[in-house]
Amino acid sequence: MLGLGLMLLFHIPPAWPAHDLAREKNWADEIVDTIMVGEPVWLEADKSRFLGLYAAPAAGAAAQRHAVILIHGRGVHPAWGFIENLRVDLVELGWHTLSLQMPVLAPDAQLKAYGETFPEAFRRIDSGFDYLKTRGITSVVLLGHSTGAMTAVAYAAERPQAPLAGVIALGLGTVRGGNRYMQPALSLEKIRRPVLDIFGSEDIPEVLHYNEARAQAAKKPGHPAYRQVQIKGTNHFYTDAYEELKKQLVAWLKQLQ
């Protein structure tokens, strides 16, 4: 009781990691001036603004009411690497895309510390759903990479009522010592949406060591559709295998239309 009283008296903040809003702002300042496809949009969660990159397919495209929300991995931004490539390529194939800035921590933050940012990440995804609704979107798929894949899977488990058509998890790993959001098998047991789980044959140990555990968790009674795909000869970032990655996820997306 004495310790609690001292915390209240001196307003000691709780022991959660501080989000690095300065890094988010610096990236946003750089990104908004370089976007060639789509437009930057400012969304709000937890009374603060964050960046989203929205793009719409050409008029008359086949999937005008379908969208993909893209979720990057830890410590980067919504126009990072192959996430940016997917954001653009999926638009050309007829999908609306919305790539969201996820919460970031200081560069030296431990991976498991990101587990504490998931609730805010969920609220940012909620905001993304709300934005797409204003665009007349009725079907949304979450696509995440690395910790973004953990986020997508955990969101689907924590928000069973969300208007979610499916989840694509790229490089979905497990963080030992992390909280429940960083244990995908726990989330996969609860998800009642189609899931595509893609990884490289040379992926990181946190992914490869738990392939079977993820598959078994997803096979629990009631799961509508789970597919696990290995892309041979590539790593956690799909180096030299982007076209095969795109082929696999586009074929899966077409089944949801």
Side-chain angles (χ1 to χ4, degrees):
M1 292 297 293
L2 178 60
L4 177 59
L6 288 173
M7 286 185 69
L8 294 174
L9 178 62
F10 293 105
H11 302 285
I12 299 174
W16 57 62
H19 300 167
D20 196 335
L21 297 178
R23 291 180 74 193
E24 286 193 29
K25 183 180 184 305
N26 289 338
W27 281 327
D29 290 343
E30 294 176 6
I31 292 170
V32 296
D33 292 330
T34 60
I35 292 300
M36 302 297 291
V37 175
E39 61 183 310
V41 294
W42 291 101
L43 307 177
E44 184 174 318
D46 295 332
K47 298 182 180 180
S48 62
R49 294 199 315 163
F50 66 96
L51 179 64
L53 302 177
Y54 170 74
Q64 280 290 306
R65 300 177 69 83
H66 299 265
V68 176
I69 291 179
L70 297 104
I71 308 171
H72 61 75
R74 67 163 171 157
V76 290
H77 53 75
W80 171 86
F82 71 82
I83 290 294
E84 171 68 3
N85 295 338
L86 288 174
R87 184 185 76 83
V88 173
D89 288 349
L90 289 174
V91 170
E92 294 179 354
L93 292 171
W95 291 74
H96 296 254
T97 62
L98 179 63
S99 188
L100 300 178
Q101 176 66 62
M102 291 290 101
V104 297
L105 303 179
D108 60 350
Q110 294 185 352
L111 175 57
K112 66 181 181 181
Y114 270 85
E116 301 300 325
T117 71
F118 278 54
E120 180 179 347
F122 296 162
R123 291 188 286 274
R124 292 190 180 195
I125 295 171
D126 289 338
S127 183
F129 271 101
D130 290 342
Y131 177 80
L132 290 173
K133 186 177 180 180
T134 68
R135 297 277 183 164
I137 304 302
T138 59
S139 177
V140 180
V141 172
L142 291 183
L143 185 159
H145 172 243
S146 197
T147 54
M150 295 181 206
T151 303
V153 168
Y155 181 92
E158 296 291 316
R159 300 281 203 273
Q161 303 305 318
L164 182 61
V167 177
I168 298 175
L170 309 179
L172 178 59
T174 295
V175 178
R176 296 183 63 182
N179 63 19
R180 73 180 189 278
Y181 302 127
M182 307 187 92
Q183 314 297 319
L186 298 179
S187 295
L188 287 167
E189 290 182 354
K190 298 165 61 178
I191 294 176
R192 297 298 177 263
R193 299 288 190 278
V195 176
L196 176 62
D197 179 353
I198 298 182
F199 63 95
S201 63
E202 300 174 10
D203 220 308
I204 59 177
E206 289 81 1
V207 174
L208 296 177
H209 290 175
Y210 296 94
N211 288 341
E212 183 60 27
R214 296 197 307 276
Q216 290 302 318
K219 292 177 181 177
K220 297 289 184 180
H223 197 292
Y226 171 84
R227 185 182 179 205
Q228 191 175 90
V229 175
Q230 180 191 86
I231 298 180
K232 294 183 178 180
T234 195
N235 55 24
H236 193 57
F237 303 100
Y238 306 96
T239 304
D240 299 325
Y242 174 76
E243 290 302 321
E244 178 61 23
L245 170 66
K246 184 173 69 172
K247 174 184 175 182
Q248 291 287 343
L249 65 88
V250 167
W252 188 83
L253 283 169
K254 286 182 177 179
Q255 298 176 11
L256 300 183
Q257 293 181 13

